[in-house]
Amino acid sequence: MFFGSDNQSCASQPILDAIIAANQGFTHGYGDDHYTQQAIDQLSAVFECELDVFFVPTGTAANCLALASLVKPWQTVLCHSSSHIIMDESTAPEFFTGGARIMGIAQHSNKLTAEHIRHYMSLGGDDIPHNSQVGAVSITQANELGQVYSATDIQAISHECKQHGLKLHMDGARFSNAVSHLKCRPAELTWQVGVDVLSLGATKCGALCAEAVIFFNKDDARSMPHLRKRAGHLISKGRLFGSQFSAWLHDNHWLELADHANQHAQKLAQQLKAFADIKIIWPVQANELFITLPKPLADHLNAQGAEFYDWYPAILPVHMALNGNDRYVRLVTSFLTSDAHCNEFVQVIENYLKNN
Amino acid sequence: MFFGSDNQSCASQPILDAIIAANQGFTHGYGDDHYTQQAIDQLSAVFECELDVFFVPTGTAANCLALASLVKPWQTVLCHSSSHIIMDESTAPEFFTGGARIMGIAQHSNKLTAEHIRHYMSLGGDDIPHNSQVGAVSITQANELGQVYSATDIQAISHECKQHGLKLHMDGARFSNAVSHLKCRPAELTWQVGVDVLSLGATKCGALCAEAVIFFNKDDARSMPHLRKRAGHLISKGRLFGSQFSAWLHDNHWLELADHANQHAQKLAQQLKAFADIKIIWPVQANELFITLPKPLADHLNAQGAEFYDWYPAILPVHMALNGNDRYVRLVTSFLTSDAHCNEFVQVIENYLKNN
Amino acid sequence: MFFGSDNQSCASQPILDAIIAANQGFTHGYGDDHYTQQAIDQLSAVFECELDVFFVPTGTAANCLALASLVKPWQTVLCHSSSHIIMDESTAPEFFTGGARIMGIAQHSNKLTAEHIRHYMSLGGDDIPHNSQVGAVSITQANELGQVYSATDIQAISHECKQHGLKLHMDGARFSNAVSHLKCRPAELTWQVGVDVLSLGATKCGALCAEAVIFFNKDDARSMPHLRKRAGHLISKGRLFGSQFSAWLHDNHWLELADHANQHAQKLAQQLKAFADIKIIWPVQANELFITLPKPLADHLNAQGAEFYDWYPAILPVHMALNGNDRYVRLVTSFLTSDAHCNEFVQVIENYLKNN
Amino acid sequence: MFFGSDNQSCASQPILDAIIAANQGFTHGYGDDHYTQQAIDQLSAVFECELDVFFVPTGTAANCLALASLVKPWQTVLCHSSSHIIMDESTAPEFFTGGARIMGIAQHSNKLTAEHIRHYMSLGGDDIPHNSQVGAVSITQANELGQVYSATDIQAISHECKQHGLKLHMDGARFSNAVSHLKCRPAELTWQVGVDVLSLGATKCGALCAEAVIFFNKDDARSMPHLRKRAGHLISKGRLFGSQFSAWLHDNHWLELADHANQHAQKLAQQLKAFADIKIIWPVQANELFITLPKPLADHLNAQGAEFYDWYPAILPVHMALNGNDRYVRLVTSFLTSDAHCNEFVQVIENYLKNN
């Protein structure tokens, strides 16, 4: 019962098969191979535009290289206070950007909005060079509370960004889950609504180790070859990334994987709603559930082998302070989550409640 | 009518005289001169302890070198959301620390408290190495809202810091104003209540260009010679700093200067209380007043030559949103502020109100 | 005829098989899985000691994280002027170390020696904090000129390092090739002769994407979890690295791969010695050959599909300035290089010479 | 007998007088005062062109901010291997530039030449992003061996720079000494011969604490307000710098000071030539002498109160290895050096030689 993270899963079979197929003979190194080129072509087709793509091994690298491309070291990046870049990547954003500031806002909301940005920008702080100026906004799709930004949400955000000359970055570690939820075309959620750079994650969504930084505006990408190299993220056997992305995108495999994960999150949510003691905190949209449940029950689940993480209490809705008897935990499903895993989880709960 | 900042004043005459006196013949460079040594000895006497001192030209350098001595690049510095290090030093803290995070809290309070720190530390985020861990707390004395931390306040904060293994830095750009207000011994406000490093500012308080980073714990200072040099803050003719600090501390000159500034802030506050349209937002303790006043009146004051800055509306008390007809401004007094300056300021207001 | 680099080869079959075998079901993320643990145990057995291991995706990351663990930002790293860290990793060493200096010495020698270090250290520059002090020495085994350091060489170097309090790093991107050449036990080439940290590369030597930073002294490793994370080099599905290293080390597979590569370098060298116009510049010890050959011949080889890189003319022996009619190129063999590849290469040369 | 450095002198009387005169009443802070503006206007007149000026407290700050304006963090700065930026500023250049590489060349020459640059650029290393590309060249005028670059020298260097798209920085900590030696107009030694940015030092040449970064091309200066602020080098009471520069430049005071220093270097050189045991290593052009002399004599001079520094033996001409019986030392004169100082120094030598 692994609900700790979608990265606890292995790679899907088609992706593994692609790695195997690519593992033959010699190719040029450092991404100058046809697997890489093919993956780029597929990305271009999927996003219906020309784009600059840089493959990297981790989501942290993808996000932080993207930000380093967009802001100067004396600028500030605005993001939701629960975002991965501010909560879960150590001080990598500061490191990669040469010391830009990362500023979390929208503290008790479950999504960043244009209004949050407008409010922050209205608070003054335009005394240059004393005040650090905002250079970019970063949003996560689907975000760290399992919430999905609609095309309209993003459009409003990017509109506000443009008023202030800010670049817009999207952390798409679970972009496929968002696309699956919205049934949109990828273009409709990115460059067509003003996203400048997308960190597109495959690792959490069925790959073994494959992330891409996608620039919809080539000018923004000019420093990237240098930034990636000097951060040690230009791997020599580039076919590892090319083959995975190629298989992931082929024939909508990426969306099938995301559909599977999302559906199992919905299914689990349905099952958990039956229990009065368990509260689902945020709407279940992608592949993450945030619930509160009695501590003894949560501990029992852990003891029975269920894996999940306690989540940051700072990121509860403001009206819902955590009472001392509950745990606030996150459950994540993946392409590998089966009905059996969900049922077993629910069964443990039922058994526990019966006996307590 | 210069109420823009205490750094709009020249140096006091005794300090200038000391510069003149030190400007004779040859000495060793880089602080290896007797003016510097004498200043260090005086600091030691004033603080009643052994200490390591590093003189630098600016408050930003003093603060950021202090922080760089205390935290690792992957750690976080907690501070009040209105603090100078987060509002007015660009991204210097990130630069000097090699990319540590600067996190502003206590947003709508006028001082940071132990409770604010306790709350922040309770919010989780102890998953190493994913979550950046707090390494230090920085407070400003007197702070950017003109508030003074009592010895008891500081003791409570440092007690909380020790619970979590955090270092405590004090930005003392206006330390003399705080000492003057509290009538404490400097030791009682620093090392005796758990302050590890003090940025002691003389520039705003009567000097021309002289700041000191004071370490009460020599272990914390080990990197400082290197940090200061590679940041370009080791000046060659060290007598410039030594002579100023020496004169500043001599015979309580520093406290006389601060007393003068504080008293004129009190005086101005008394005078302004007479006007119904002017609200004093925070208690006047040191040498800064924060007021709201009708826009046309504020504009008229500026037109008549009064200098002051609009302050960040983010740093109003939460119940006091700025209405569109007012301006929220900061008035700062210094050793050079005279009764005549205050009276002229008040006269302009009276004349304006009479005619409008 | 791929002689461009050993990273132009795919992974060996046993290593691919291990990736396939590990790609099943769920595990914990971020290296907390049994594949990773098993690889660490095997490394410990191979090196006959306890060690701290950090797996990363690239050699640049491995080297630069190692250096960042060993030196302060105000220190200097000494290395051979042809070393990978100074020639081929952009300014990654400066980036990871927070701005330490990388200083190349021993310019016209084919190996760094204790004498080079002694000479550099004798040149003064000990005025602290003005002069940057050397903090570490980095050597490459086998090095960028295909040369192998004997245990005695390394012992002499580390002895000199200890005289000056310097740490010793070894870039082991081709460590297996060196071990294969010397027929030593790995311990004899590392911790037993004073190496503090080893970047152990598997990627060039038969893996797909797998490097390790190995600390023989746990104290040196204390910052590594943070350094790796904030550089984006902590991958989530750690089994990718664990499985590869495990298969690589299993049953001496790593040394068989290296033997194969080295033997084909020797074979090719033997064949090339027959041609008067081709000069082998440095002794062939590991899996690299450095030759000069007439430009038209080199161009013809390229035209016939032979891949190799022109090498930096700065790194010719001082007596051997490159004449305008020759090209100075590097040929690299790998576990995948076959007799047929070598023979085809030689055949192209013979045919060309016959007809010209 | 202070021949240790020109920064061992106090400020000249006219410069001190200017500080005194400026120390009156209120002005705007952070360089927005008329003393600063007047100094900028004078610089513009002296250099006969429009320029962007940024005052800072130290030469290290001036040099490193200039370099940070010119190069990207993944680029390399070429300089003479004896230059101040590589020998005497710790790793400040790496720190300010965000980790660019500092590469010393021309090791056994006493000046950098166009030929040195051409040679370095010919050595390959243009494989992007693997090889760090040169972005700028930095020369020192007068340089760290007391040598002066003629207008023709600089023209040749800048011509070579332009061939490769490199920016040209001049460290002018002793620019006035060079101008005095060459009897050129400042423009002829800077922008008219291709210098992009000049660090103009007044501190060593008669001021108390005043350096300027001068941009002849406004585009290069765009990041400077931010770079200076976040490095803590924007002082609040800007009149300190403005008044000094104003007095320094007024009525050719700066050149009179330099003439005095240079003439006393010449005088001392003439006197020392009389002693067979003392060798003057480099031509005396500005205000520095580099000599070798018997150890016992040098020790005796020190014992008699003569101040001077042993110089880096690495920076001897290649044919002149230091024998074990000599010391290689630097003597620096300043505006404060008197005939009496020189005579006393020579007298000590004569007395010693008579008695030994």
Short mmCIF file of all heavy atoms in Angstrom, two decimals, chain D residues 57-84:
data_model
loop_
_atom_site.label_atom_id
_atom_site.label_comp_id
_atom_site.label_asym_id
_atom_site.label_seq_id
_atom_site.Cartn_x
_atom_site.Cartn_y
_atom_site.Cartn_z
N PRO D 57 33.80 51.66 -1.89
CA PRO D 57 34.84 51.92 -0.90
C PRO D 57 36.19 51.24 -1.13
O PRO D 57 37.17 51.66 -0.54
CB PRO D 57 34.22 51.42 0.41
CG PRO D 57 33.13 50.51 0.02
CD PRO D 57 32.69 50.88 -1.34
N THR D 58 36.26 50.17 -1.92
CA THR D 58 37.54 49.46 -2.05
C THR D 58 37.85 49.10 -3.49
O THR D 58 36.94 48.98 -4.33
CB THR D 58 37.56 48.15 -1.23
OG1 THR D 58 36.66 47.21 -1.85
CG2 THR D 58 37.17 48.35 0.22
N GLY D 59 39.12 48.90 -3.73
CA GLY D 59 39.55 48.49 -5.05
C GLY D 59 39.06 47.10 -5.42
O GLY D 59 38.73 46.83 -6.57
N THR D 60 39.00 46.22 -4.43
CA THR D 60 38.48 44.88 -4.69
C THR D 60 37.03 44.97 -5.15
O THR D 60 36.62 44.31 -6.12
CB THR D 60 38.60 44.01 -3.42
OG1 THR D 60 39.99 43.82 -3.15
CG2 THR D 60 37.92 42.67 -3.58
N ALA D 61 36.24 45.79 -4.47
CA ALA D 61 34.85 45.96 -4.89
C ALA D 61 34.78 46.55 -6.29
O ALA D 61 33.99 46.08 -7.13
CB ALA D 61 34.12 46.86 -3.89
N ALA D 62 35.61 47.55 -6.56
CA ALA D 62 35.58 48.19 -7.88
C ALA D 62 35.91 47.18 -8.98
O ALA D 62 35.19 47.06 -9.97
CB ALA D 62 36.56 49.36 -7.91
N ASN D 63 36.99 46.44 -8.79
CA ASN D 63 37.39 45.46 -9.81
C ASN D 63 36.34 44.39 -10.00
O ASN D 63 35.99 44.02 -11.12
CB ASN D 63 38.71 44.78 -9.40
CG ASN D 63 39.91 45.68 -9.57
OD1 ASN D 63 39.88 46.59 -10.40
ND2 ASN D 63 40.95 45.45 -8.79
N CYS D 64 35.84 43.86 -8.91
CA CYS D 64 34.99 42.68 -9.01
C CYS D 64 33.59 43.05 -9.48
O CYS D 64 32.95 42.27 -10.21
CB CYS D 64 34.97 41.92 -7.69
SG CYS D 64 36.62 41.29 -7.29
N LEU D 65 33.11 44.22 -9.12
CA LEU D 65 31.84 44.68 -9.66
C LEU D 65 31.99 44.94 -11.16
O LEU D 65 31.07 44.63 -11.95
CB LEU D 65 31.36 45.94 -8.94
CG LEU D 65 30.84 45.70 -7.52
CD1 LEU D 65 30.66 47.02 -6.77
CD2 LEU D 65 29.51 44.93 -7.55
N ALA D 66 33.12 45.49 -11.56
CA ALA D 66 33.35 45.71 -12.99
C ALA D 66 33.32 44.38 -13.74
O ALA D 66 32.63 44.24 -14.76
CB ALA D 66 34.70 46.40 -13.19
N LEU D 67 34.03 43.39 -13.22
CA LEU D 67 34.05 42.09 -13.89
C LEU D 67 32.66 41.45 -13.91
O LEU D 67 32.25 40.86 -14.90
CB LEU D 67 35.05 41.15 -13.19
CG LEU D 67 36.51 41.59 -13.26
CD1 LEU D 67 37.40 40.62 -12.48
CD2 LEU D 67 36.99 41.69 -14.71
N ALA D 68 31.94 41.59 -12.80
CA ALA D 68 30.60 41.01 -12.74
C ALA D 68 29.67 41.67 -13.76
O ALA D 68 28.70 41.05 -14.21
CB ALA D 68 30.03 41.16 -11.33
N SER D 69 29.96 42.90 -14.12
CA SER D 69 29.16 43.58 -15.15
C SER D 69 29.48 43.07 -16.54
O SER D 69 28.67 43.19 -17.45
CB SER D 69 29.45 45.09 -15.14
OG SER D 69 29.07 45.64 -13.91
N LEU D 70 30.66 42.51 -16.70
CA LEU D 70 31.15 42.20 -18.04
C LEU D 70 31.01 40.74 -18.44
O LEU D 70 30.92 40.43 -19.62
CB LEU D 70 32.62 42.61 -18.17
CG LEU D 70 32.92 44.10 -18.05
CD1 LEU D 70 34.41 44.36 -18.23
CD2 LEU D 70 32.13 44.91 -19.09
N VAL D 71 31.05 39.83 -17.47
CA VAL D 71 31.05 38.41 -17.85
C VAL D 71 29.89 37.64 -17.21
O VAL D 71 29.36 38.04 -16.17
CB VAL D 71 32.38 37.70 -17.48
CG1 VAL D 71 33.55 38.36 -18.19
CG2 VAL D 71 32.60 37.65 -15.98
N LYS D 72 29.55 36.57 -17.85
CA LYS D 72 28.55 35.63 -17.33
C LYS D 72 29.25 34.66 -16.38
O LYS D 72 30.46 34.42 -16.52
CB LYS D 72 27.94 34.84 -18.49
CG LYS D 72 27.21 35.71 -19.51
CD LYS D 72 25.86 36.10 -19.00
CE LYS D 72 25.03 36.79 -20.05
NZ LYS D 72 23.75 37.28 -19.48
N PRO D 73 28.49 34.07 -15.48
CA PRO D 73 29.11 33.14 -14.51
C PRO D 73 29.80 31.94 -15.16
O PRO D 73 30.61 31.30 -14.52
CB PRO D 73 27.93 32.68 -13.65
CG PRO D 73 26.90 33.74 -13.79
CD PRO D 73 27.07 34.30 -15.18
N TRP D 74 29.47 31.64 -16.40
CA TRP D 74 30.09 30.47 -17.03
C TRP D 74 31.27 30.88 -17.92
O TRP D 74 31.83 30.04 -18.62
CB TRP D 74 29.06 29.68 -17.84
CG TRP D 74 28.20 30.50 -18.71
CD1 TRP D 74 28.46 30.92 -19.99
CD2 TRP D 74 26.92 31.03 -18.36
NE1 TRP D 74 27.42 31.68 -20.43
CE2 TRP D 74 26.46 31.76 -19.48
CE3 TRP D 74 26.11 30.94 -17.23
CZ2 TRP D 74 25.21 32.41 -19.48
CZ3 TRP D 74 24.88 31.59 -17.22
CH2 TRP D 74 24.44 32.31 -18.34
N GLN D 75 31.66 32.13 -17.84
CA GLN D 75 32.77 32.59 -18.67
C GLN D 75 34.06 32.68 -17.87
O GLN D 75 34.09 32.47 -16.65
CB GLN D 75 32.42 33.94 -19.30
CG GLN D 75 31.31 33.82 -20.35
CD GLN D 75 31.02 35.13 -21.06
OE1 GLN D 75 30.93 36.17 -20.42
NE2 GLN D 75 30.89 35.08 -22.36
N THR D 76 35.13 33.01 -18.59
CA THR D 76 36.46 33.11 -18.01
C THR D 76 36.99 34.53 -18.20
O THR D 76 36.74 35.15 -19.23
CB THR D 76 37.41 32.09 -18.69
OG1 THR D 76 37.05 30.78 -18.24
CG2 THR D 76 38.87 32.35 -18.37
N VAL D 77 37.70 35.02 -17.19
CA VAL D 77 38.39 36.29 -17.28
C VAL D 77 39.89 36.01 -17.40
O VAL D 77 40.45 35.31 -16.56
CB VAL D 77 38.15 37.15 -16.01
CG1 VAL D 77 38.98 38.44 -16.06
CG2 VAL D 77 36.68 37.46 -15.83
N LEU D 78 40.51 36.53 -18.44
CA LEU D 78 41.96 36.41 -18.59
C LEU D 78 42.65 37.59 -17.94
O LEU D 78 42.21 38.74 -18.11
CB LEU D 78 42.36 36.40 -20.07
CG LEU D 78 42.13 35.16 -20.89
CD1 LEU D 78 42.84 35.32 -22.25
CD2 LEU D 78 42.64 33.92 -20.18
N CYS D 79 43.73 37.32 -17.24
CA CYS D 79 44.51 38.41 -16.65
C CYS D 79 45.95 37.96 -16.52
O CYS D 79 46.27 36.78 -16.68
CB CYS D 79 43.94 38.80 -15.29
SG CYS D 79 44.01 37.48 -14.07
N HIS D 80 46.82 38.90 -16.23
CA HIS D 80 48.20 38.55 -15.96
C HIS D 80 48.25 37.74 -14.66
O HIS D 80 47.51 38.01 -13.72
CB HIS D 80 49.04 39.82 -15.82
CG HIS D 80 50.51 39.55 -15.82
ND1 HIS D 80 51.18 39.08 -14.73
CD2 HIS D 80 51.44 39.67 -16.80
CE1 HIS D 80 52.45 38.93 -15.03
NE2 HIS D 80 52.65 39.28 -16.29
N SER D 81 49.16 36.76 -14.63
CA SER D 81 49.20 35.87 -13.47
C SER D 81 49.64 36.59 -12.20
O SER D 81 49.53 36.02 -11.11
CB SER D 81 50.11 34.68 -13.74
OG SER D 81 51.43 35.13 -13.94
N SER D 82 50.15 37.80 -12.32
CA SER D 82 50.52 38.56 -11.11
C SER D 82 49.48 39.60 -10.74
O SER D 82 49.70 40.40 -9.84
CB SER D 82 51.85 39.28 -11.34
OG SER D 82 51.65 40.40 -12.19
N SER D 83 48.34 39.58 -11.42
CA SER D 83 47.40 40.69 -11.22
C SER D 83 46.76 40.66 -9.84
O SER D 83 46.63 39.60 -9.22
CB SER D 83 46.34 40.67 -12.31
OG SER D 83 45.54 39.53 -12.16
N HIS D 84 46.37 41.81 -9.39
CA HIS D 84 45.74 41.96 -8.09
C HIS D 84 44.50 41.09 -7.98
O HIS D 84 44.26 40.46 -6.95
CB HIS D 84 45.37 43.43 -7.87
CG HIS D 84 45.21 43.82 -6.43
ND1 HIS D 84 43.99 43.84 -5.80
CD2 HIS D 84 46.12 44.19 -5.49
CE1 HIS D 84 44.16 44.23 -4.55
NE2 HIS D 84 45.43 44.45 -4.33
#
